[in-house]
């Protein structure tokens, strides 16, 4: 979703804000804006990238020790200069930036129009800033009280940073359903939608909860609820290095994150998988393990790439632990009146830990009495606070909008869970348990080997960058990988692509195959190998172009396919972790060759924190 950054202290605010927006641009890049308070409120905003904003105000007075900044992913109102944030109230008493959606903005707007307010934009945010000002003036109250009273009338989600012209010594922040963090420095405070824009200044942070309001000034911080109940701030330390949110010599964050996967997978199972002790230990599941072992059904929920990881998890848990599993889109699960029992276990997967649909599905499941487990990447996010237990992926920050290392880290966690449950339930033998642990331990080195062939992926991408359609085929564990490969390609290159179970090709997609259609086939050595060979023969009989991902040393498919991408052999239960990497690299190179913005594809945001 959108990105927020704010500062109050002794330093000049502008450099902190503009650099913060550059770090947050992965969250929103339709437009950007900054407001500074120095005797008067100054607002600068521009459609386009943060660099466009920076260039447009290069000759302006940008002095001031207090300010807020925003980079937008449009919801209400098209991306343009006027609809960009920050938004100023009609009488210029308040300026505000906002992530989220005010659902009852239309009714509130009508009431304000009846009271003489006029509006310049199409946004719900302008309604909120004018509502705050109306209460402030009409009630002769402080800015803080006006904010709290206004928010009590609001329906929807928000992360807010607010300045008041009459109270130039403070910033006000508030959160409901949209993440917000307060950075604590020496005589200074920061506000941000995540820690990435402030980590170079402080690692001491306060994560706001829903209905929290923070009032920060140079002399201190006050934290309370919308209802004016005082809270004790809990300061935590962010485990994030500045190098993790920079490109470090790579052309794009996406490429950097693809190449980080050996380390991110290792970090995800480090301390949890022991070759020496021959065991898997997931401490975050300790209190819910009896529920997992006795579950009659596991429901996995997620969106996008996380849903694909959940499909791999379904195969793993049913295969190794023999527990029935269903995988649901969180966005559908919450609306279709699902049947949820008290002995069900829900596994919610989200990279950010803030995905709106997934959070809503979690609350629905908890209301029904189910046990809810979270798998996410961001410490301090909402999902860990809402669930009964869970596992962090430890993938590190993922800046590229198209998830890569998040997928493999999520699959790694699901793999550990499935192996552990299978062994505890005596569904796999001690020998198989040991072999799976050993194979998982070898995965990072095997991905390192795949990455050494990056030039070959570039060479193949050059041949097919102008294709208009791709088809991805896989069987068993590799069907979800086919879906993920197709999603990556269409996300960042804007080429239409579809993933299918290979056996379903004859039930429709085969009609599309001709000499211009690249077919990516996942064809590693497993129990479906002979079947996938047959599928390739059917494609070639119709003059389709076959790009095959195969196990090292495969000679049968090499003689059939137009292109072969080899990966090291592993057990079929772990093949998803290897086969997805070539598909990520193909998508990346094709998108770059098509001059697409790989890290910030059009119309997409990294974290969907509103419906």
């Amino acid at each position: 979703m959108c990105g927020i950054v704010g500062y109050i202290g002794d330093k000049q605010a502008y450099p902190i804000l503009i650099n913060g927006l550059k770090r947050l641009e992965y969250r929103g890049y339709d437009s950007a804006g900054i407001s500074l308070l120095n005797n008067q409120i100054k607002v600068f905003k521009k459609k386009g990238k943060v660099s466009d904003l920076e260039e447009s105000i290069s000759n302006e007075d940008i002095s001031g020790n207090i300010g807020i900044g925003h980079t937008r992913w449009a919801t209400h109102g098209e991306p343009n200069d006027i609809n960009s944030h920050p938004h100023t109230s009609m009488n210029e008493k308040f300026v505000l930036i906002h992530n989220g959606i005010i659902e009852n903005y239309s009714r509130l707007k009508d009431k304000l129009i009846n009271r003489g307010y006029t509006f310049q934009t199409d946004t719900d945010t302008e309604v909120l800033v004018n509502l705050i000002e109306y209460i402030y003036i009409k009630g002769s109250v402080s800015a803080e009280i006006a904010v709290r009273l206004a928010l009590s009338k609001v329906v929807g989600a928000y992360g807010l940073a607010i300045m008041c012209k009459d109270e130039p010594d403070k910033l006000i922040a508030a959160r409901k359903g949209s993440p917000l963090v307060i950075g604590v420095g020496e005589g200074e405070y920061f506000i941000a939608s995540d820690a990435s824009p402030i980590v170079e200044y402080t690692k001491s942070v306060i994560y706001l909860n829903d209905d929290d309001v923070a009032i920060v000034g140079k002399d201190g911080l006050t934290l309370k609820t919308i209802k004016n109940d005082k809270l004790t701030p809990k300061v935590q330390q962010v485990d994030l290095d500045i190098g993790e949110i920079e490109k470090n010599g790579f052309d794009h964050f996406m490429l950097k994150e693809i190449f980080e996967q050996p380390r991110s997978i290792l970090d995800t199972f480090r301390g949890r998988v022991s070759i020496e002790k021959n065991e898997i230990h997931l401490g975050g599941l300790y209190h819910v393990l009896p529920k997992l072992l006795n579950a009659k059904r596991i429901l996995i929920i997620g969106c996008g790439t996380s849903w694909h990881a959940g499909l791999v998890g379904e195969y793993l848990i049913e295969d190794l632990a023999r527990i029935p599993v269903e995988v649901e889109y969180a966005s559908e699960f919450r609306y279709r009146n699902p049947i949820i029992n008290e002995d069900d276990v829900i596994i919610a997967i989200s990279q950010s830990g803030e995905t709106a649909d997934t959070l809503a599905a979690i609350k629905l499941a908890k209301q029904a009495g189910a046990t809810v487990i979270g798998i996410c990447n961001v410490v301090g996010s909402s999902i860990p606070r809402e669930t009964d237990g869970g596992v962090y992926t430890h993938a590190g920050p993922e800046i590229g909008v198209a998830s890569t290392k998040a997928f493999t880290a999520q699959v790694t966690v699901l793999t550990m869970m499935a192996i552990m449950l299978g062994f505890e339930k005596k569904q796999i033998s001690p020998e198989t348990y040991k072999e799976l642990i050993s194979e998982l331990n070898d995965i990072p080195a095997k991905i390192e080997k795949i990455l050494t062939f990056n030039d070959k992926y570039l060479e193949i991408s050059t041949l097919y960058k102008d294709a208009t359609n791709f088809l991805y085929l896989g069987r068993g564990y590799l069907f979800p990988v086919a879906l993920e490969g197709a999603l990556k390609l269409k996300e960042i290159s804007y080429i239409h692509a579809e993933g299918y179970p290979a056996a379903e090709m004859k039930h429709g997609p085969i009609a599309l195959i001709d000499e211009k259609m690249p077919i990516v086939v996942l064809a590693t050595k497993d129990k479906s190998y002979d079947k996938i060979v047959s599928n390739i023969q059917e494609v070639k009989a119709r003059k389709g172009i076959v790009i095959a991902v195969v196990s090292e040393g495969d000679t049968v498919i090499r003689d059939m396919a137009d292109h072969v991408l080899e990966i090291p052999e592993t057990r079929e239960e772990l093949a998803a972790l290897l086969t997805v990497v070539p598909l990520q690299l193909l998508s990346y190179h094709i998108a770059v060759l098509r001059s697409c913005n790989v890290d910030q594809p059009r119309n997409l945001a990294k974290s969907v924190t509103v419906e």
Side-chain angles (χ1 to χ4, degrees):
M1 201 46 213
C2 312
I4 281 176
V5 62
Y7 174 78
I8 184 168
D10 295 326
K11 299 185 179 78
Q12 286 295 301
Y14 175 78
I16 294 169
L17 299 178
I18 200 72
N19 289 333
L21 291 184
K22 290 175 182 176
R23 298 204 186 283
L24 285 170
E25 199 165 15
Y26 74 100
R27 293 179 66 101
Y29 38 87
D30 293 336
S31 58
I34 280 176
S35 181
L36 299 160
L37 181 51
N38 187 4
N39 298 321
Q40 61 178 349
I41 289 176
K42 294 171 285 187
V43 175
F44 310 101
K45 50 188 184 175
K46 188 74 175 174
K47 177 185 176 182
K49 305 294 184 185
V50 174
S51 58
D52 297 321
L53 170 69
E54 191 175 22
E55 184 179 347
S56 72
I57 58 179
S58 57
N59 296 319
E60 300 284 351
D61 177 11
I62 50 174
S63 59
N65 304 117
I66 175 174
I68 54 178
H70 189 268
T71 182
R72 183 175 185 240
W73 188 65
T75 50
H76 285 72
E78 67 177 85
N80 57 32
D81 290 355
I82 294 174
N83 287 333
S84 305
H85 296 217
H87 287 285
T88 307
S89 58
M90 188 179 75
N91 297 299
E92 299 184 350
K93 294 286 188 182
F94 287 85
V95 63
L96 176 150
I97 53 180
H98 167 219
N99 291 352
I101 293 178
I102 306 303
E103 295 175 9
N104 61 335
Y105 83 100
S106 182
R107 182 169 58 83
L108 294 171
K109 186 174 184 177
D110 289 343
K111 289 184 176 182
L112 288 167
I113 289 172
N114 291 336
R115 289 162 173 77
Y117 271 79
T118 58
F119 292 84
Q120 308 302 314
T121 77
D122 303 319
T123 67
D124 55 334
T125 303
E126 190 186 11
V127 175
L128 180 55
V129 74
N130 278 319
L131 176 62
I132 292 169
E133 182 187 79
Y134 172 76
I135 293 171
Y136 177 75
I137 295 173
K138 184 76 173 177
S140 298
V141 295
S142 69
E144 173 215 321
I145 293 174
V147 168
R148 288 194 291 102
L149 290 174
L151 294 180
S152 70
K153 301 178 183 299
V154 160
V155 177
Y158 52 77
L160 303 169
I162 307 159
M163 294 193 301
C164 177
K165 179 181 178 182
D166 299 338
E167 301 181 26
D169 58 346
K170 67 183 66 169
L171 285 175
I172 300 172
R175 175 228 162 109
K176 184 174 185 179
S178 188
L180 215 56
V181 61
I182 307 295
V184 181
E186 293 187 11
E188 60 186 1
Y189 290 91
F190 307 83
I191 299 171
S193 44
D194 65 52
S196 60
I198 63 175
V199 70
E200 62 188 288
Y201 308 105
T202 180
K203 292 196 174 184
S204 299
V205 300
I206 300 164
Y207 294 103
L208 298 192
N209 295 311
D210 281 354
D211 297 324
D212 282 0
V213 178
I215 304 95
V216 294
K218 295 179 182 178
D219 20 340
L221 175 147
T222 301
L223 186 65
K224 54 179 65 177
T225 68
I226 290 173
K227 295 180 180 179
N228 203 32
D229 299 320
K230 287 202 171 182
L231 302 169
T232 302
K234 181 182 178 183
V235 180
Q236 302 181 51
Q237 296 300 304
V238 176
D239 184 17
L240 176 63
D241 293 323
I242 193 69
E244 293 183 275
I245 53 175
E246 294 181 339
K247 293 178 185 174
N248 293 340
F250 287 90
D251 290 336
H252 298 91
F253 280 110
M254 183 179 177
L255 186 62
K256 172 178 177 265
E257 287 154 7
I258 291 171
F259 272 77
E260 284 177 341
Q261 287 176 113
R263 191 191 73 187
S264 59
I265 290 172
L266 179 61
D267 287 345
T268 295
F269 69 67
R270 190 196 307 274
R272 294 164 167 170
V273 174
S274 172
I275 293 286
E276 294 77 16
K277 295 181 180 179
N278 191 36
E279 68 176 14
I280 294 175
H281 176 73
L282 299 174
L285 299 182
Y286 178 77
H287 295 292
V288 296
L289 188 56
K291 288 279 190 178
L292 266 169
L293 291 171
N294 294 301
K296 293 203 169 56
R297 179 180 65 156
I298 291 174
L299 288 163
I300 300 178
I301 56 175
C303 298
T305 288
S306 295
W307 184 76
H308 295 158
L311 287 176
V312 179
E314 177 184 19
Y315 282 81
L316 286 163
I317 294 170
E318 289 195 341
D319 192 3
L320 300 178
R322 308 307 295 159
I323 302 172
V325 180
E326 297 176 20
V327 184
E328 299 265 6
Y329 283 111
S331 53
E332 289 294 314
F333 181 79
R334 61 179 294 199
Y335 288 117
R336 67 167 185 80
N337 193 24
I339 298 171
I340 308 170
N341 301 307
E342 289 187 4
D343 53 5
D344 288 338
V345 173
I346 314 295
I347 300 176
I349 308 175
S350 166
Q351 188 280 141
S352 67
E354 302 289 352
T355 308
D357 286 320
T358 306
L359 279 165
I362 286 171
K363 291 174 183 176
L364 180 66
K366 290 184 74 173
Q367 288 169 4
T371 300
V372 184
I373 293 167
I375 296 175
C376 74
N377 189 35
V378 181
V379 176
S381 57
S382 295
I383 284 179
R385 296 202 295 266
E386 292 284 345
T387 48
D388 301 301
V391 184
Y392 284 115
T393 56
H394 299 315
E398 187 176 67
I399 306 299
V401 167
S403 281
T404 51
K405 66 177 182 175
F407 174 79
T408 50
Q410 289 166 354
V411 172
T412 300
V413 169
L414 290 163
T415 303
M416 289 188 291
M417 288 178 63
I419 297 170
M420 181 184 71
L421 289 173
F423 183 66
E424 292 289 335
K425 290 175 69 68
K426 296 182 170 50
Q427 295 296 326
I428 58 175
S429 67
E431 292 75 19
T432 300
Y433 180 61
K434 183 177 182 180
E435 186 177 342
L436 284 165
I437 288 174
S438 177
E439 285 288 333
L440 180 59
N441 192 66
D442 290 341
I443 288 293
K446 291 180 178 180
I447 292 179
E448 289 277 12
K449 187 173 183 180
I450 294 170
L451 294 171
T452 63
F453 295 99
N454 186 37
D455 289 346
K456 184 169 185 178
Y457 306 126
L458 173 58
E459 179 185 325
I460 295 172
S461 300
T462 304
L463 299 174
Y464 303 110
K465 66 181 179 64
D466 296 319
T468 55
N469 295 283
F470 268 72
L471 188 63
Y472 288 71
L473 301 176
R475 285 177 178 259
Y477 283 101
L478 301 185
F479 162 53
V481 179
L483 293 174
E484 176 63 10
L487 176 62
K488 286 289 121 358
L489 187 68
K490 54 190 163 190
E491 276 184 316
I492 63 171
S493 73
Y494 318 139
I495 295 174
H496 175 256
E498 295 296 334
Y500 268 88
E504 287 293 305
M505 183 182 67
K506 289 184 284 190
H507 295 272
I510 197 168
L512 298 171
I513 296 172
D514 59 22
E515 66 276 5
K516 296 180 181 178
M517 170 75 89
I519 316 293
V520 180
V521 184
L522 301 168
T524 55
K525 286 281 181 67
D526 59 26
K527 60 177 175 286
S528 299
Y529 180 77
D530 291 339
K531 299 291 186 182
I532 207 81
V533 168
S534 176
N535 292 136
I536 291 172
Q537 290 170 331
E538 290 164 348
V539 171
K540 293 308 298 178
R542 288 153 183 85
K543 300 182 180 180
I545 301 161
V546 173
I547 304 169
V549 179
V550 303
S551 301
E552 271 181 336
D554 187 301
T555 56
V556 175
I557 293 176
R558 181 178 294 279
D559 292 337
M560 300 178 191
D562 296 89
H563 309 280
V564 168
L565 301 172
E566 290 191 335
I567 65 165
E569 283 201 52
T570 189
R571 288 184 62 106
E572 65 178 303
E573 297 93 340
L574 304 178
L577 291 168
L578 300 183
T579 51
V580 75
V581 178
L583 307 191
Q584 294 170 346
L585 287 167
L586 283 173
S587 298
Y588 169 79
H589 288 302
I590 288 172
V592 171
L593 289 165
R594 290 167 63 88
S595 300
C596 298
N597 190 332
V598 173
D599 288 333
Q600 298 167 0
R602 67 189 181 202
N603 302 330
L604 295 176
K606 182 63 183 172
S607 176
V608 183
T609 57
V610 296
E611 294 183 59

